[in-house]
Amino acid sequence: KSTLLQLIAGVVRPTEGVLNISGRVSALLELGAGFNGDCTGRENIFMNGAIMGISQGEIENRFDDILRFADIGPFIDQPVKTYSSGMYVRLAFAVAVHVSPDILLVDEALAVGDLRFQQKCIARIREFCERGTVLFVSHDPAVVKELCSRVLWVEGGRIRGDGSPREVVDRYLAYVYEGERADAARLGSGSSGDRVSEDVLDGFRPLEAVCRQFGDRRVVIEALRVRSRGGTAGVLHSGEPCEISLYCRAVESVSRPVAGFVLRDRLGRELLADNTALLKQDIPP
């Protein structure tokens, strides 16, 4: 990914093949990569403009808009090495989107800055999409679906998907969460020798090591399944019903077992928790 973006931005040249680019490219590969820490924000704006091939007169005409977007006030005349990381990012982004590029490359740049700045950046990119070409690279499926009209899923230097945002993102999430289905075959062989039919195990995945189990271990959860929109890729769709199923094995007789779950986001924050006792749903012995 990084090599491809550097090629498009003109940072490096291809050793083979042909790369055709029509128009001026502005790249947000690493915000502020071209800044000189000893120079002021004002000086860096003009230097970056020169690198982009923009005349001093053009930059002067856009200077007020850049300053207004960056919103760093009097610090514009201070050396950028004295800036906070947030100020640095705001100035770099402001310069990149105000040099009137025909093609804008954005590499995960929206994951920085405070929420207000991120919203302003997304609004600006959405506005730019109406009059130019944006190549947006991200690992955030929600932002990809929000901003993009076409999605390429690239892995190992090869294209694995190309199509509408919803179609490709759903395929990508299914791959990430469902993984290799071969492991599911291991669920059919239990220590007690009894086999479970394939239709019962359809869509179940072995419980990953990162999932923590609690209890006295007389009953263990061996696999789980999350079903939404009829699929079992582990993807939940906002505003739609879903089903969470647990495949358990009892190693001793348990008269009143209780099964439950905690759902956390990628940052580990608890979103939802429930169990059969709270739901007043008794599980048979």
Side-chain angles (χ1 to χ4, degrees), residues 256-277:
R256 300 185 64 184
V258 175
F261 67 90
V262 178
L263 183 66
R264 294 186 174 93
D265 67 10
R266 60 182 179 180
L267 299 178
R269 296 172 298 196
E270 188 172 311
L271 303 177
L272 175 67
D274 216 334
N275 65 46
T276 53

Side-chain angles (χ1 to χ4, degrees), residues 105-126:
L105 307 184
V106 184
D107 183 14
E108 299 282 10
L110 301 185
V112 293
D114 58 25
L115 182 59
R116 177 173 167 270
F117 175 72
Q118 291 179 26
Q119 291 173 336
K120 191 157 68 168
C121 291
I122 289 176
R124 181 71 183 190
I125 290 177
R126 191 180 287 115

Side-chain angles (χ1 to χ4, degrees), residues 243-270:
E243 168 198 298
I244 299 176
S245 303
L246 305 177
Y247 174 71
C248 305
R249 183 176 299 279
V251 294
E252 291 184 28
S253 176
V254 181
S255 59
R256 300 185 64 184
V258 175
F261 67 90
V262 178
L263 183 66
R264 294 186 174 93
D265 67 10
R266 60 182 179 180
L267 299 178
R269 296 172 298 196
E270 188 172 311

Side-chain angles (χ1 to χ4, degrees), residues 1 152-161 172 175-176 180:
K1 178 200 71 175
L152 287 175
W153 167 19
V154 180
E155 182 179 359
R158 298 185 179 276
I159 296 175
R160 293 199 53 163
Y172 169 74
Y175 169 77
V176 168
E180 300 299 330

Side-chain angles (χ1 to χ4, degrees), residues 28 30-33 35 69-72 80 83-97 108-114 117-118 121:
L28 290 169
E30 184 179 344
L31 285 175
F35 281 5
F69 192 96
D71 193 24
I72 60 175
V80 296
Y83 288 10
S84 68
S85 58
M87 292 163 57
Y88 195 89
V89 162
R90 288 201 296 272
L91 182 61
F93 192 95
V95 173
V97 298
E108 299 282 10
L110 301 185
V112 293
D114 58 25
F117 175 72
Q118 291 179 26
C121 291

Side-chain angles (χ1 to χ4, degrees), residues 1 37 94 98 122 126 143 159 164 191 203 214 234 237 242 254 267:
K1 178 200 71 175
H98 283 87
I122 289 176
R126 191 180 287 115
V143 180
I159 296 175
S164 69
S191 57
F214 302 91
H237 299 275
C242 71
V254 181
L267 299 178

Side-chain angles (χ1 to χ4, degrees), residues 119-152:
Q119 291 173 336
K120 191 157 68 168
C121 291
I122 289 176
R124 181 71 183 190
I125 290 177
R126 191 180 287 115
E127 174 188 325
F128 183 87
C129 286
E130 298 176 0
R131 54 182 175 82
T133 300
V134 177
L135 181 56
F136 179 70
V137 180
S138 178
H139 293 93
D140 189 332
V143 180
V144 168
K145 285 202 284 190
E146 180 180 352
L147 289 178
C148 299
S149 58
R150 176 185 173 190
V151 175
L152 287 175

Side-chain angles (χ1 to χ4, degrees), residues 178-186 201-206 232-233:
E178 194 169 34
E180 300 299 330
R181 300 185 64 90
D183 286 340
R186 291 190 291 126
L201 290 175
D202 181 42
F204 274 91
R205 295 177 51 217
T232 58

